[in-house]
Amino acid sequence: MKHLLDIKDLNQTRIEQLFQCADNIKSQPKAERLKHLIGRQVVCLFYENSTRTLLSFQLAASGLGASVFNLPVDHSSVQKGESFHDTIKTIAAMAPDAVIMRHPEDYAHRNIADLLTDNIHLINAGDGQNQHPTQALLDLYTIRRHKPDFKDLKVTIIGDIKHSRVANSLIDGLNILQTTDISLFGPDNLIPEQYSDKKAPTINAALDQADVVVMLRIQKERFEKNEFLNVNQWHQNYGLNSEKLKLAQKDAIVMHPGPMNRGIEISAAVADGPQSVILEQVSNGVLIRQAVMATLLS
Ligand code: NCD
């Protein structure tokens, strides 16, 4: 595999190999990890804001011994009018080993993958509302550590599904790992038609007996002018609090890709509570990105 652009580029075996690779890296001492990508160069190109994805790719790459270079798009020649394609061709001409890119347009990566020469690997760190494959991998890796039998799980995803690349990638990843019981809940206008068969009638039905509960941020920045959004009633109607969480399995885990809006999609008590694995997701993000880079670049 040359690039990782979409979780659907992977099959079950490949995903399990990545999990295995992450487990192996985790068991290695720091000095050993540094040998994986020594002498390699990785460029991060983020056209959208990011805290955890950007930093975790940077820490992951440098933890494997690679040198990491961040192109600050706001201070680059993009501001002088350089086209997206010219920026990519310029980076390709410098021949880094990998480009990690986040872009606000769906499928932006597909459109530029051919501009990269044979030895440059492209990793999607999020494209518009389409895909976020490494987020799905870290989510699945986190689920696996608590609940390894994917076939037997009820996974509930609540919030702004429509604008969420996290939801798309996670649903695709769960399909690959053969989880059939996936339940979605949110405002009717934020559940895309393609997922109507997974839509729960009420939030209580969505949460009932769930093993995994994934809460999503309202992606305000992706709303079109004519799309309706009422944030005032959000917590009451679509938010998770301790009382509602009691409907799920006693040992259910609560996930959130971050950044969180406390008091909107999730209460602080749940976010910081014993069932929350939100910070574990962040830690696993570094490991799984190391597994992806080690696999693609080796
Ligand atoms: C998500 C994203 O950017 O898609 N964040 C992340 O990568 N951890 C979700 C979000 O922004 O709400």
Side-chain angles (χ1 to χ4, degrees), residues 45-49 71-80:
L45 180 61
F46 276 54
Y47 287 86
E48 270 190 358
N49 296 342
L71 183 74
V73 172
D74 286 348
H75 301 281
S76 72
S77 293
V78 170
Q79 303 308 324
K80 300 182 189 170

Side-chain angles (χ1 to χ4, degrees), residues 140-169:
L140 296 168
Y141 186 68
T142 304
I143 294 172
R144 166 184 175 262
R145 299 186 74 85
H146 294 270
K147 298 173 183 287
D149 188 0
F150 279 90
K151 280 191 191 156
D152 218 32
L153 288 183
K154 174 174 176 179
V155 179
T156 294
I157 308 177
I158 299 177
D160 175 5
I161 313 279
K162 177 176 175 183
H163 301 103
S164 175
R165 54 197 176 202
V166 173
N168 285 337
S169 300

Side-chain angles (χ1 to χ4, degrees), residues 15-23 137 140-141 144 288:
I15 292 180
E16 280 161 7
Q17 282 166 349
L18 286 168
F19 290 166
Q20 192 60 52
C21 181
D23 287 345
L137 287 169
L140 296 168
Y141 186 68
R144 166 184 175 262
I288 210 77

Side-chain angles (χ1 to χ4, degrees), residues 52-53 102 132 135 165-166 217 219 221-222 257-259:
R52 65 220 86 218
T53 305
R102 169 171 283 193
H132 195 347
Q135 179 70 42
R165 54 197 176 202
V166 173
R217 182 176 69 87
Q219 310 257 312
E221 69 278 18
R222 300 195 202 287

Side-chain angles (χ1 to χ4, degrees), residues 159-161 185-192 199 228-230 234 238:
D160 175 5
I161 313 279
F185 191 70
D188 285 345
N189 65 322
L190 298 183
I191 309 271
K199 185 172 174 273
F228 177 74
L229 173 64
N230 180 358
W234 194 277
Y238 312 107

